[in-house]
Amino acid sequence: MSTSRRRYIFLIVLLVLCTVLGYGRDVRIGLLSYEDLFSLTIKIQSGRYELSAGGKMLTLTPGGNILVTKAGERLFVSVAGQETIVADSLILRHSEGADAVFSLRNNIVPGPPGQYNDDLVVKPGIRSLLAVNVVDINRYLAGVVQSEAGYKGSLEYFKAQAVIARTYFYMHSDRHMQDGYNICDRTHCQVYKGMSVTEIINNAVLITGGMVLTNKDSILVFAPFHANCGGQTEVSGNVWLNNEGHLKSVTDPYCGFSASAAWSREISLEKWLDYLSGHGYRHNKLSDLGFDQLSRKKYYRAGEFVFPLSKIRLDWDLRSAFFAVEVKDSSIYLDGRGYGHGVGLCQDGARVMADRGFRMREILNFYFSGLLVMDIKDAKADLM
Ligand SMILES: [Zn+2]
Ligand SMILES: [Zn+2]
């Protein structure tokens, strides 16, 4: 069976399951932030939990502590004040209906422990422990929105981000099936740093329950976003390979007053010329180097020399590819606008639109041309 066919069948099964279960279903999130994980301290914060490990079952209430360490291909599970168990896996399951929260502290990241809703499965992986948060999809999405969209904003902004996060989840929910979970908690998938403590975000996710973004054929679409577009969003083909119909460039009048709307950078003329020469520039004519970008362009031009702006952005770790170049004395001055790749929804602009009374659908329609917001049960997966 081809990969696309397997993916299609998986998505159909997923969509049917969602319909049957009314979306309030659990998803499995790989907590890869805990890489090189050899020990994990779990603490019950609220609710009542059942711990299953090594054929034993223990009840845990708030304050209950569990230390898990990897011992070869097995786990050592120490339950504070009770006993130590040798196990192949650990399952921490909350009681039905309870508002259950546990925290995780690991052997790598210092600082306060992460807080997570619902359940946890820990297994010994090949090199380190594998921790999977089994969590209600809406709680997961609220955590993503809080991690990806910040805490500041009004309801319609967070509703737009919730629809984007949900669309992304359904498009990629089989991405890590071979690893034993749906999706990971890093930028590879969507950043998820645990539960959302922001009421307005939790409400935005519940109000938009089941809603996703599709094209006119009801197919789920890639809906990227970035911090600030600098006044004009970018077409997808200037950043990635394909030009997508819904990712056109729009003039954005809303994001100009944000702190990340402008940036500048000074680079020595010598370093700039070295860089350009390394990529085939041969003229050394200073008057060639100046460059304007009143509206977004794909290439930097210096005389006959033509070079992708997106590559310059990556190589120099610039905030955006939307910048002008000025030569002054022995330096190059980059005068830039925006923060991020610039494709799709501009978060600063969307936040201002929501503050000014625009609704979630209007915000999404402004940044993504011709898309529909529909229920996941009416949407289809892309067969490609
Ligand atoms: Zn991932
Ligand atoms: Zn913008």
Side-chain angles (χ1 to χ4, degrees):
M1 201 187 298
S2 72
T3 309
S4 64
R5 192 166 169 77
R6 270 204 304 272
R7 191 181 165 88
Y8 178 60
I9 289 170
F10 174 80
L11 259 139
I12 293 292
V13 170
L14 189 70
L15 294 184
V16 169
L17 267 175
C18 291
T19 311
V20 171
L21 300 176
Y23 320 118
R25 66 188 195 88
D26 290 342
V27 295
R28 298 170 69 84
I29 314 301
L31 304 181
L32 299 188
S33 309
Y34 299 110
E35 203 177 49
D36 295 324
L37 179 67
F38 300 108
S39 82
L40 198 57
T41 306
I42 307 159
K43 191 169 181 181
I44 309 303
Q45 301 293 324
S46 67
R48 191 183 168 86
Y49 277 92
E50 294 294 336
L51 168 73
S52 317
K56 300 215 171 170
M57 195 95 134
L58 298 167
T59 300
L60 289 159
T61 50
N65 242 307
I66 309 158
L67 174 68
V68 192
T69 47
K70 182 167 156 42
E73 291 177 7
R74 307 200 80 188
L75 304 177
F76 277 151
V77 181
S78 312
V79 184
Q82 298 192 48
E83 56 187 304
T84 298
I85 305 162
V86 180
D88 293 322
S89 68
L90 172 157
I91 300 170
L92 188 65
R93 196 174 281 128
H94 72 289
S95 299
E96 207 58 45
D99 205 5
V101 179
F102 62 89
S103 66
L104 285 182
R105 186 185 290 281
N106 61 75
N107 60 300
I108 309 138
V109 187
Q115 310 270 330
Y116 293 86
N117 283 120
D118 300 345
D119 300 349
L120 178 73
V121 176
V122 183
K123 288 183 176 172
I126 296 167
R127 282 180 312 176
S128 62
L129 291 174
L130 170 66
V132 176
N133 183 199
V134 184
V135 58
D136 170 84
I137 186 167
N138 286 329
R139 288 177 162 167
Y140 160 68
L141 293 173
V144 170
V145 172
Q146 185 179 270
S147 303
E148 297 266 16
Y151 298 76
K152 271 178 28 190
S154 45
L155 185 66
E156 297 297 315
Y157 166 66
F158 289 122
K159 281 166 69 180
Q161 290 272 187
V163 171
I164 290 174
R166 186 176 294 106
T167 306
Y168 189 95
F169 174 79
Y170 283 110
M171 281 183 85
H172 297 93
S173 59
D174 61 345
R175 199 175 196 183
H176 285 282
M177 289 312 271
Q178 286 182 332
D179 303 317
Y181 47 89
N182 295 109
I183 205 162
C184 79
D185 65 346
R186 292 181 155 190
T187 49
H188 174 256
C189 290
Q190 304 194 95
V191 178
Y192 168 65
K193 296 177 186 163
M195 64 182 275
S196 156
V197 291
T198 313
E199 200 57 35
I200 192 169
I201 293 179
N202 301 348
N203 290 339
V205 170
L206 292 177
I207 294 166
T208 61
M211 290 182 197
V212 291
L213 270 171
T214 72
N215 64 15
K216 289 210 159 47
D217 299 321
S218 307
I219 293 172
L220 293 169
V221 290
F222 174 49
F225 55 87
H226 55 275
N228 188 298
C229 74
Q232 185 195 0
T233 68
E234 179 68 286
V235 293
S236 55
N238 283 0
V239 179
W240 301 298
L241 286 179
N242 294 331
N243 268 323
E244 306 249 5
H246 64 285
L247 300 175
K248 295 190 170 78
S249 178
V250 299
T251 301
D252 184 349
Y254 303 108
C255 62
F257 298 103
S258 155
S260 42
W263 57 269
S264 59
R265 174 93 168 258
E266 181 184 352
I267 297 170
S268 79
L269 190 55
E270 194 187 342
K271 277 190 182 167
W272 188 249
L273 284 171
D274 271 359
Y275 172 72
L276 298 186
S277 306
H279 291 95
Y281 177 71
R282 296 286 174 261
H283 306 274
N284 281 338
K285 229 170 106 187
L286 291 190
S287 58
D288 280 354
L289 299 179
F291 173 73
D292 258 337
Q293 226 186 141
L294 296 176
S295 62
R296 284 187 182 263
K297 293 176 180 167
K298 186 169 184 174
Y299 298 103
Y300 169 68
R301 289 174 190 275
E304 303 287 301
F305 179 73
V306 177
F307 199 63
L309 287 158
S310 55
K311 171 94 172 106
I312 298 177
R313 179 189 172 218
L314 283 180
D315 289 345
W316 291 88
D317 197 20
L318 304 175
R319 282 188 170 196
S320 72
F322 194 9
F323 58 85
V325 181
E326 197 186 345
V327 190
K328 230 191 269 173
D329 305 325
S330 56
S331 289
I332 288 285
Y333 292 88
L334 305 184
D335 181 16
R337 288 195 273 163
Y339 199 155
H341 52 60
V343 185
L345 179 136
C346 164
Q347 291 182 314
D348 283 343
R351 209 177 272 116
V352 170
M353 286 182 83
D355 289 347
R356 293 188 188 173
F358 286 96
R359 306 301 302 269
M360 170 266 285
R361 284 170 199 268
E362 293 172 311
I363 296 169
L364 291 171
N365 279 327
F366 180 74
Y367 292 106
F368 302 108
S369 334
L371 293 191
L372 305 171
V373 176
M374 66 166 64
D375 200 291
I376 182 65
K377 72 175 188 292
D378 301 319
K380 295 178 226 159
D382 191 350
L383 297 183
M384 294 302 288

